[in-house]
């Protein structure tokens, strides 16, 4: 072996050092033995008593949920104190009896109370279980006066979510709901326990982890009746972070008042970065009602309402884009070289294709049109021609490039993708091959196409900023309670529009003329003397046009959906708006003025005329 | 040729102690998972028996060859251990936010456990070549710094500050044992006293909090204080003779989440009282003294330093673990050697015991 590598060292030298080590080790063991003696012999009786009575309780300290503000720092959502009725299972003498007595006081089913307590008691049995949140002062007085008959019942001060402007931006802000047994078992919310509230919808859900905070705890000693006699140790809760949304309170309120008597959706976007300035879906709902707990009848009323109040129409509503889609068709035609700035098409009011006649919305015809005029006057015949030249699949490519047919990626649940049809898609969906005539209806947005108001808002804001398709953003910042920024939104670029500067300039000219040229479809309803508005109208047929003819007068539910998408000012746009009014009628007369109001309200807050009605 | 002296000098006492502690572990694990209501982990003590059997086989293998060969093998063993550790972030299993385990099909290995031994072996090789009566200078301390630093860093990042800290403590103990030059020792001490608080105060509040919660999840407000208190109640309520096997109320009601692993001593103290606890302390003290005695009788530096390193490892683990249960040490994840549930830890300590026996039985053999 390699013993020569191991230097000879005087063993005595090692032995002396080993002796010192041994002494130290014995000393350490003596300390531990001493500690054992102290705990088990000197303090043994004390600890034995503690272990027999089990009188140490661990109590939770609830964290305050973060507040929600708008972009300017206006408080939208806070918490207010509430008195909660809770039960400590192991302190209850007779659960059946207690449940029965309580059921009369709080008007609930005794079986439910019992089941709740049994499901949530856990192995520990000394954690309190929520029975009823936010009880009235009267009920509290009654309960306190009867606390002797009802051992194990406690009134705990808690906090309850308070939506200050109830139902404002209800779809965007969302609401809370009680955590379910299933979620608790899955461990998705590590700090939550039965009876806690978690974000269920909207930003409350999307930013749950930032808002919810971390509970604290205290260890207390209680006497035989369960009253706290001593706090042994305490660790405060960490409050949740505050959330600053990108929405502007004033503009949001404006959007909702504009939709107050309508069913529809408005999205306003900052074209510079994709920030959502306002997001309104009408009708809305009361968020506070959700926090209080809906009873079955109000819940059923909400879900059975044909106007779908719980649905965020901005991100979940899918509508035929109608003439607003002509932006996409124009882009495809210009980029593919199917048409250019000088190409003209004569519109006699109809377009013959095969053995069918496709009509323009203007029966007497537009006459000879080039592309800018075709956009501004929304000439169907011009775009039939474009559709015929392009074919469905080439249009679909550009539609996808414009962000249609896919989620925008907004931080809200249940976002709809819309639909961009292709020949292959139709074959798969219906088993029927694509008909050449369908290219024409696709080109004017009347085929199988479906888009969400948010997709159209992002598209028009990309046109406004010369081609950058942002991901819509609802979070401006997340700040700690001390005010430090925890998270900040960066404008996320999703993609570039599939169009060069020249094509976009042509399209933008068309959008400008739509509003500012006397012949433009929106001239009479949208033009403003104060700012240059650009945009595109759309009137989406819900049923065939012939149906309308037979009926004479059109019933509301057969009326078309009204679209307007646009931006302002024309130079250096500050706001892009997408408006969809379900069964509103004409895009220019119904949706247009709404969009105009939004833009004026945002850009000229002083000159805001709340009740000015555009001349009809 | 088989040398009769190998058997003659075999340390039967050490073997007996090891078996006794291992058996105590199984008995206590059985109580901790089977006392009270039905527990899904009720079969764990059988698993621990299997680990004990495997560990004993490895222990026997570890004294069949002369430990002096390990002097040559130690760099390779060390490299293998570090490689396993380096694999953990990529191929590891994550449990409770920490990635410490490698999945070996059917069971998981915690590489940081055997790495403790690999570090001790490599340090023993290095120090055996550099030890001198005057003590080691600063320059001679640089290689050990790397030997310890690499696995330390890897284990800290898992994160597992308990095991990383243990390796540092054992390494420091061995280094102090082989002696550091007086002036080097004092300057290192001064440097440490200055740097550690300075670095700590240069951090922002939230960074400090993050480090604390990262490395000591047990300091979580819902955890630490409560557990220490419950642990103290369990120990104290055992009084002189304990509440009887499987009769501990703290044990039955599962007040401690890790009572079959890190808090196993609390089960012993509650059910067997002061008498039982002192017995266990004496067993550990004997085990460590036997280890140091082996170092004492060994005639070459490598064997001596190796024996000291292994004894230091068992000492620190036992002291930190029991100190934590008794509420005089911070709560860090640290198993009680031979007693706590856990295969990697048990097998590692059994291998270490095998090495001690190896050194012991060859104390008069020169080949």
């Amino acid at each position: 072996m390699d013993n020569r590598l191991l230097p000879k060292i005087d063993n005595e030298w090692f032995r002396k050092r080993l002796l010192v080590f041994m002494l130290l080790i014995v000393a350490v063991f003596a300390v531990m033995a001493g500690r054992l003696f102290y705990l088990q012999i000197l303090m043994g009786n004390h600890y034995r008593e503690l272990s027999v009575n089990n009188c140490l309780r661990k109590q939770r300290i609830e964290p305050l949920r973060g507040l929600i503000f708008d972009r300017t720092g206006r408080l939208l959502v806070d918490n207010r104190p509430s008195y909660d009725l809770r039960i400590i299972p192991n302190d209850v003498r007779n659960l059946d009896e207690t449940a029965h007595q309580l059921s009369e006081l709080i008007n609930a089913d005794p079986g439910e109370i019992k089941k709740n307590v049994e499901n949530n008691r856990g192995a520990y049995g000394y954690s309190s279980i929520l029975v009823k949140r936010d009880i009235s002062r009267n009920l509290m007085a009654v309960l306190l006066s009867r606390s002797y008959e009802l051992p194990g019942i406690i009134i705990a001060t808690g906090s309850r979510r308070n939506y200050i402007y109830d139902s404002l931006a209800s779809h965007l802000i969302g609401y809370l709901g009680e955590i379910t047994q299933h979620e608790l078992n899955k461990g998705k919310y590590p700090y939550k326990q039965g009876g806690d509230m978690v974000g269920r919808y909207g930003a409350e859900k999307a930013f749950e982890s930032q808002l919810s905070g971390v509970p604290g705890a205290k260890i207390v000693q209680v006497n035989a009746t369960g009253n706290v006699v001593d706090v042994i140790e305490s660790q405060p809760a960490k409050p949740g972070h505050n959330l600053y949304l990108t929405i502007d309170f004033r503009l949001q309120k404006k959007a909702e008042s504009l939709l107050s008597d309508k069913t529809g959706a408005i999205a306003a976007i900052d074209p510079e970065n994709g920030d959502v300035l306002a997001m309104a879906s009408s009708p809305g709902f009361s968020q506070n009602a959700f926090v209080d707990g809906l009873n079955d009848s109000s819940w059923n009323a909400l879900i059975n309402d044909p106007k779908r109040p719980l649905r965020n129409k901005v991100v979940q509503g899918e509508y035929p884009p109608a003439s607003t889609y002509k932006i996409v068709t124009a882009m495809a035609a210009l980029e593919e070289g199917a048409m250019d700035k000088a190409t003209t098409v004569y519109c006699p009011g109809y377009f013959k294709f095969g053995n069918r006649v496709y009509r323009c919305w203007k029966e007497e015809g537009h006459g000879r049109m080039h592309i800018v005029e075709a956009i501004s006057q929304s000439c169907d015949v011009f775009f039939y021609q474009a559709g015929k030249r392009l074919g469905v699949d080439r249009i679909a490519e550009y539609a996808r490039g414009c962000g249609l047919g896919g989620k925008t990626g907004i931080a809200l649940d249940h976002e709809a993708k819309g639909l961009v049809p292709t020949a292959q898609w139709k074959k798969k969906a219906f088993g029927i091959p694509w008909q050449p005539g369908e290219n024409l209806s696709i080109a004017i947005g009347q085929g199988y196409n479906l888009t969400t108001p948010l997709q159209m808002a992002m598209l028009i804001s990309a046109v406004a900023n010369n081609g950058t398709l942002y991901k819509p953003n609802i979070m401006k910042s997340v700040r700690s309670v001390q005010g430090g920024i925890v998270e900040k939104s960066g404008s996320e670029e999703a993609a570039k529009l599939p169009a060069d500067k020249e094509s976009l300039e042509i399209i933008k000219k068309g959008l400008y003329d739509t509003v500012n040229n006397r012949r433009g479809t929106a001239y009479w309803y949208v033009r403003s003397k104060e700012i240059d508005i650009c945009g595109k109208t759309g009137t989406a047929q819900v049923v065939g046009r012939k149906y309308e003819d037979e009926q004479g007068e059109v019933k509301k539910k057969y009326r078309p959906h009204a679209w307007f998408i646009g931006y302002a000012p024309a130079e250096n746009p500050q706001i892009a708006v997408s408006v969809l009014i379900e069964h509103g009628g004409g895009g220019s007369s119904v949706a247009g003025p709404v969009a105009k109001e939004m833009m004026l309200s945002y850009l000229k807050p002083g000159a805001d005329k709340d009740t000015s009605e555009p001349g009809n | 040729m088989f040398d009769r002296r190998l058997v003659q000098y075999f340390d039967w006492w050490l073997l007996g102690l090891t078996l006794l502690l291992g058996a105590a572990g199984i008995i206590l694990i059985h109580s901790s998972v089977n006392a009270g209501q039905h527990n899904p982990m009720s079969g764990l003590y059988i698993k621990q028996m299997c680990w004990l059997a495997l560990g004993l086989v490895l222990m026997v293998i570890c004294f069949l060859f002369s430990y002096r060969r390990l002097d040559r093998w130690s760099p390779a063993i060390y490299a293998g251990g570090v490689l396993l550790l380096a694999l953990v972030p990529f191929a590891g299993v994550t449990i409770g936010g920490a990635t410490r385990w490698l999945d070996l099909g059917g069971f998981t290995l915690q590489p940081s456990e055997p790495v403790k031994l690999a570090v001790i072996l490599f340090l023993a090789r290095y120090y055996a070549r550099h030890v001198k009566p005057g003590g080691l200078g600063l320059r001679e301390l640089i290689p050990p710094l790397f030997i310890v630093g690499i696995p330390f860093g890897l284990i800290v990042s898992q994160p597992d500050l308990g095991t990383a800290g243990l390796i540092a403590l054992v390494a420091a103990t061995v280094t102090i044992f082989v002696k550091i030059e007086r002036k080097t020792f004092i300057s290192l001490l001064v440097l440490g006293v200055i740097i550690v608080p300075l670095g700590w105060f240069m951090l922002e509040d939230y960074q400090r909090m993050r480090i604390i919660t990262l490395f000591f999840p047990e300091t979580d407000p819902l955890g630490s204080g409560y557990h220490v208190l419950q642990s103290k109640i369990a120990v104290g309520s055992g009084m002189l003779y304990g509440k009887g096997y499987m009769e501990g109320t703290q044990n039955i009601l599962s007040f401690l989440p890790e009572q079959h692993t890190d808090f196993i001593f609390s089960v012993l103290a509650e059910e067997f009282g002061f008498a039982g606890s002192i017995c266990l302390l004496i067993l550990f003290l004997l085990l460590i003294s036997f280890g140091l005695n082996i170092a004492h009788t060994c005639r070459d530096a490598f064997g001596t330093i190796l024996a000291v390193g292994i004894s230091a490892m068992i000492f620190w683990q036992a002291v930190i673990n029991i100190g934590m249960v008794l509420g005089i040490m911070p709560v860090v994840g640290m198993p009680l050697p031979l007693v706590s549930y856990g295969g990697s830890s048990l097998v590692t300590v059994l291998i270490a015991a095998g090495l001690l026996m190896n050194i012991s039985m060859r104390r008069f053999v020169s080949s």
Side-chain angles (χ1 to χ4, degrees):
Chain A
M1 274 293 302
D2 44 5
N3 260 350
R4 66 203 149 75
L5 277 177
L6 306 175
K8 277 278 176 224
I9 185 128
D10 184 5
N11 274 16
E12 275 312 307
W13 186 80
F14 271 147
R15 283 176 188 171
K16 268 187 200 151
R17 300 185 72 78
L18 280 170
L19 194 65
V20 177
F21 269 51
M22 198 58 221
L23 286 175
L24 289 173
I25 288 166
V26 171
V28 170
F29 272 76
V31 168
M32 288 200 293
R35 176 72 176 174
L36 274 171
F37 185 78
Y38 170 78
L39 288 176
Q40 298 189 297
I41 308 297
L42 297 182
M43 300 290 284
N45 274 322
H46 169 71
Y47 284 120
R48 177 66 65 95
E49 206 173 302
L50 285 180
S51 87
V52 170
N53 292 339
N54 241 326
C55 60
L56 284 188
R57 305 269 173 91
K58 188 164 81 172
Q59 294 184 341
R60 232 162 75 116
I61 304 173
E62 300 293 333
L64 271 185
R65 196 174 171 87
L67 311 177
I68 301 181
F69 298 88
D70 86 336
R71 67 183 299 124
T72 62
R74 181 189 277 263
L75 183 61
L76 303 179
V77 183
D78 66 358
N79 306 294
R80 69 166 177 73
S82 79
Y83 297 98
D84 301 340
L85 170 59
R86 307 184 77 100
I87 264 187
I88 295 175
N90 283 7
D91 285 342
V92 175
R93 249 180 251 127
N94 180 340
L95 185 56
D96 283 309
E97 173 73 30
T98 307
H100 182 73
Q101 293 201 31
L102 274 183
S103 68
E104 285 171 3
L105 291 170
I106 64 171
N107 194 17
D109 178 42
E112 285 289 315
I113 297 175
K114 210 180 145 203
K115 217 175 96 193
N116 174 26
V117 173
E118 275 164 1
N119 283 344
N120 289 308
R121 65 177 299 144
Y124 182 42
Y126 287 105
S127 295
S128 67
I129 295 164
L130 182 75
V131 179
K132 192 173 166 68
R133 191 186 301 282
D134 205 17
I135 57 174
S136 69
R137 279 169 188 278
N138 288 339
L139 180 55
M140 189 165 82
V142 173
L143 285 169
L144 286 177
S145 68
R146 293 179 61 176
S147 62
Y148 256 97
E149 309 160 39
L150 296 166
I153 294 296
I154 54 168
I155 310 284
T157 44
S159 75
R160 174 191 168 284
R161 200 61 160 164
N162 181 35
Y163 299 94
I164 299 171
Y165 307 95
D166 195 11
S167 90
L168 177 97
S170 48
H171 300 94
L172 179 67
I173 294 173
Y175 50 79
L176 304 181
E178 203 163 298
I179 193 165
T180 63
Q181 195 60 43
H182 179 67
E183 287 166 326
L184 281 173
N185 295 344
K186 264 199 341 195
K188 195 174 145 203
Y189 304 101
Y191 296 119
K192 299 284 183 184
Q193 63 178 28
D196 281 358
M197 303 295 267
V198 289
R200 276 275 167 263
Y201 191 68
E204 290 271 33
K205 181 173 182 194
F207 298 95
E208 168 68 26
S209 62
Q210 290 93 325
L211 287 167
S212 67
V214 180
K218 59 184 169 188
I219 299 167
V220 298
Q221 198 175 351
V222 295
N223 62 17
T225 54
N227 292 321
V228 174
V229 290
D230 194 13
V231 176
I232 290 172
E233 209 162 316
S234 169
Q235 189 89 32
K238 287 188 203 129
H241 297 314
N242 293 336
L243 172 64
Y244 286 75
L245 294 171
T246 54
I247 60 166
D248 179 304
F249 170 76
R250 218 178 35 76
L251 190 65
Q252 179 72 29
K253 221 168 146 53
K254 181 80 188 169
E256 293 187 12
S257 75
L258 288 167
L259 284 180
S260 59
D261 53 346
K262 302 179 175 77
T263 306
I266 299 179
I269 306 290
D270 182 343
E272 292 300 315
N273 52 25
D275 277 1
V276 175
L277 299 172
M279 177 183 281
S281 175
S282 175
F285 56 86
S286 158
Q287 296 142 284
N288 284 331
F290 274 89
V291 174
D292 294 338
L294 286 172
N295 57 28
D296 284 351
S297 66
S298 13
W299 170 248
N300 284 331
L302 274 175
I303 57 169
N304 293 328
D305 187 332
K307 291 179 177 169
R308 312 291 298 273
L310 291 183
R311 202 176 154 91
N312 185 353
K313 298 182 177 68
V314 178
V315 300
Q316 290 174 260
E318 295 174 294
Y319 305 94
S323 298
T324 58
Y325 204 67
K326 286 173 184 163
I327 295 172
V328 176
T329 311
M331 198 182 290
L334 289 166
E335 287 295 315
E336 290 289 299
M339 288 171 162
D340 63 21
K341 206 173 170 178
T343 309
T344 57
V345 172
Y346 180 77
C347 168
Y350 59 89
F351 186 82
K352 260 197 185 150
F353 186 80
N355 52 5
R356 254 198 80 179
V357 173
Y358 291 80
R359 285 165 43 176
C360 186
W361 66 270
K362 196 170 179 186
E363 274 169 55
E364 62 272 29
H366 287 97
R368 192 157 287 282
M369 302 253 94
H370 56 69
I371 192 160
V372 170
E373 290 170 308
I375 293 173
S376 69
Q377 298 177 36
S378 203
C379 174
D380 291 339
V381 170
F382 184 94
F383 285 99
Y384 289 146
Q385 183 65 37
K388 185 182 145 196
R389 291 186 192 176
L390 285 164
V392 60
D393 290 344
R394 278 205 281 178
I395 299 178
E397 213 176 287
Y398 282 86
R400 291 195 173 278
C402 290
L404 307 181
K407 295 182 176 182
T408 63
I410 193 168
L412 294 174
D413 276 358
H414 314 302
E415 189 182 2
K417 285 201 282 198
L419 177 61
V420 172
T422 58
Q424 204 190 354
W425 166 83
K426 188 184 170 195
K427 182 86 182 131
K428 230 173 129 183
F430 299 106
I432 311 168
W434 191 259
Q435 305 298 314
E438 286 174 312
N439 291 336
L440 308 191
S441 24
I442 286 296
I444 63 158
Q446 291 286 38
Y448 300 105
N449 314 28
L450 291 172
T451 59
T452 67
L454 183 63
Q455 287 173 334
M456 296 314 281
M458 298 324 290
L459 166 58
I460 197 69
S461 88
V463 171
N465 69 28
N466 293 321
T468 309
L469 196 56
Y470 287 105
K471 182 168 146 185
N473 174 36
I474 58 171
M475 183 265 287
K476 188 160 174 268
S477 60
V478 173
R479 289 164 185 267
S480 69
V481 176
Q482 290 79 25
I485 289 182
V486 179
E487 213 175 306
K488 204 172 163 64
S489 74
S491 46
E492 273 187 73
E493 229 173 271
K496 285 272 175 202
L497 287 183
D500 62 17
K501 195 156 169 39
E502 205 182 327
S503 312
L504 280 176
E505 281 310 318
I506 294 168
I507 292 168
K508 287 174 90 169
K509 178 77 173 90
L511 298 175
Y512 179 84
D513 282 357
T514 303
V515 180
N516 297 293
N517 185 308
R518 283 187 155 272
R519 291 173 183 272
T521 52
Y523 178 82
W524 299 103
Y525 296 104
V526 181
R527 192 178 70 99
S528 158
K529 289 187 189 103
E530 289 155 284
I531 43 169
D532 288 338
I533 297 174
C534 303
K536 184 75 197 80
T537 58
T539 305
Q541 303 300 329
V542 180
V543 292
R545 210 167 274 181
K546 54 181 185 264
Y547 198 81
E548 186 181 325
D549 293 342
E550 288 162 19
Q551 292 287 314
E553 196 191 331
V554 192
K555 274 194 191 163
K556 168 112 181 170
K557 69 171 178 175
Y558 300 126
R559 263 197 248 154
H561 299 320
W563 276 103
F564 187 88
I565 60 175
Y567 56 88
E571 293 300 321
N572 193 16
Q574 302 293 303
I575 180 173
V577 176
S578 159
V579 175
L580 181 277
I581 310 291
E582 283 187 13
H583 309 293
S588 54
S589 60
V590 179
V594 171
K596 176 185 176 182
E597 287 283 312
M598 288 292 290
M599 292 172 186
L600 280 176
S601 163
Y602 186 67
L603 297 171
K604 303 273 179 216
D608 194 358
K609 298 156 290 189
D610 256 340
T611 50
S612 75
E613 282 290 325
N616 262 1
Chain B
M1 257 280 294
F2 184 73
D3 193 332
R4 282 196 56 137
R5 281 184 297 177
L6 288 180
V7 182
Q8 194 183 330
Y9 291 132
F10 185 78
D11 203 328
W12 295 100
W13 279 100
L14 185 58
L15 178 65
L17 271 176
T18 310
L19 291 176
L20 213 55
L21 283 166
I26 286 163
I27 290 166
L28 292 172
I29 291 166
H30 179 262
S31 173
S32 76
V33 296
N34 285 300
Q37 62 209 128
H38 179 72
N39 187 318
M41 298 188 295
S42 59
L44 278 190
Y45 71 101
I46 295 175
K47 264 178 110 176
Q48 181 81 348
M49 283 178 174
C50 298
W51 286 115
L52 186 64
L54 174 72
L56 288 174
V57 170
L58 291 172
M59 184 180 85
V60 169
I61 292 172
C62 279
F63 59 66
L64 289 183
F65 58 89
S66 170
Y67 68 93
R68 293 188 185 93
R69 293 189 192 192
L70 288 172
D71 178 66
R72 208 170 16 174
W73 295 344
S74 59
I77 294 172
Y78 175 83
V82 170
L83 192 72
L84 278 181
L85 268 186
L87 276 176
V88 170
F90 307 103
V93 185
T94 304
I95 304 172
T99 311
R100 299 174 187 169
W101 298 267
L102 283 175
D103 192 350
L104 299 181
F107 68 97
T108 55
L109 170 76
Q110 190 179 342
S112 54
E113 287 290 338
V115 160
K116 290 176 198 167
L117 272 183
V119 170
I120 294 171
L121 279 170
F122 203 11
L123 279 181
R125 175 192 156 99
Y126 178 85
Y127 285 143
R129 282 165 173 69
H130 292 86
V131 61
K132 55 188 180 202
L136 299 173
L138 195 58
R139 195 171 306 165
E140 289 150 320
L141 287 176
I142 292 172
L145 194 68
F146 278 97
I147 294 173
V148 178
I150 295 168
F152 182 86
L154 285 169
I155 296 171
V156 161
S157 65
Q158 288 181 345
D160 182 358
L161 201 73
T163 308
L166 179 79
I167 288 179
L169 268 177
V170 171
T173 310
V174 173
T175 309
I176 290 169
F177 173 69
V178 298
K179 197 171 180 187
I180 304 172
E181 271 177 2
R182 182 176 292 265
K183 67 172 201 283
T184 313
F185 186 69
I186 291 172
S187 33
L188 283 178
L189 215 61
V190 171
L191 203 71
V193 168
I194 293 172
I195 281 185
V196 171
L198 205 70
W200 186 249
F201 283 115
M202 272 166 63
L203 294 175
E204 296 286 332
D205 248 359
Y206 76 96
Q207 286 173 317
R208 264 180 253 167
M209 272 315 290
R210 203 170 290 174
I211 289 171
I212 290 172
T213 47
L214 185 68
F215 292 134
F216 302 99
E218 297 86 352
T219 56
D220 170 320
L222 295 164
S224 162
Y226 182 68
H227 290 155
V228 170
L229 211 57
Q230 292 297 356
S231 175
K232 272 160 41 181
I233 291 173
V235 173
S237 66
M239 299 179 74
L240 185 55
Y241 295 116
K243 298 173 185 169
Y245 186 53
M246 310 260 296
E247 300 288 333
T249 53
Q250 296 286 108
N251 178 20
I252 289 168
L253 295 171
S254 300
F255 276 107
L256 292 165
E258 299 287 343
Q259 53 189 17
H260 60 291
T261 58
D262 294 351
F263 282 94
I264 192 79
F265 188 83
S266 76
V267 177
L268 170 88
E270 185 181 15
E271 300 190 342
F272 296 94
F274 184 68
S277 311
I278 288 293
C279 282
L280 194 84
L281 277 190
I282 289 171
L283 288 183
F284 270 111
L285 185 59
L286 283 175
L287 183 65
I288 294 158
S289 347
F290 282 28
L292 290 184
N293 186 48
I294 288 165
H296 185 255
T297 52
C298 179
R299 288 191 297 182
D300 63 68
F302 176 72
T304 304
I305 297 168
L306 181 58
V308 168
I310 290 171
S311 307
M313 178 180 91
I314 296 172
F315 168 76
W316 282 118
Q317 268 186 246
V319 166
I320 293 172
N321 177 282
I322 297 175
M324 167 179 96
V325 173
L326 299 184
I328 48 177
M329 289 270 188
V331 179
V332 291
M334 179 77 65
L336 186 59
L338 298 169
V339 182
S340 282
Y341 174 77
S344 299
S345 161
L346 179 61
V347 169
T348 303
V349 179
L350 285 171
I351 289 174
L355 294 179
L356 282 180
M357 292 167 198
N358 192 336
I359 300 166
S360 165
M361 62 205 266
R362 287 181 177 79
R363 62 195 129 147
F364 299 121
V365 185
S366 52
S367 64

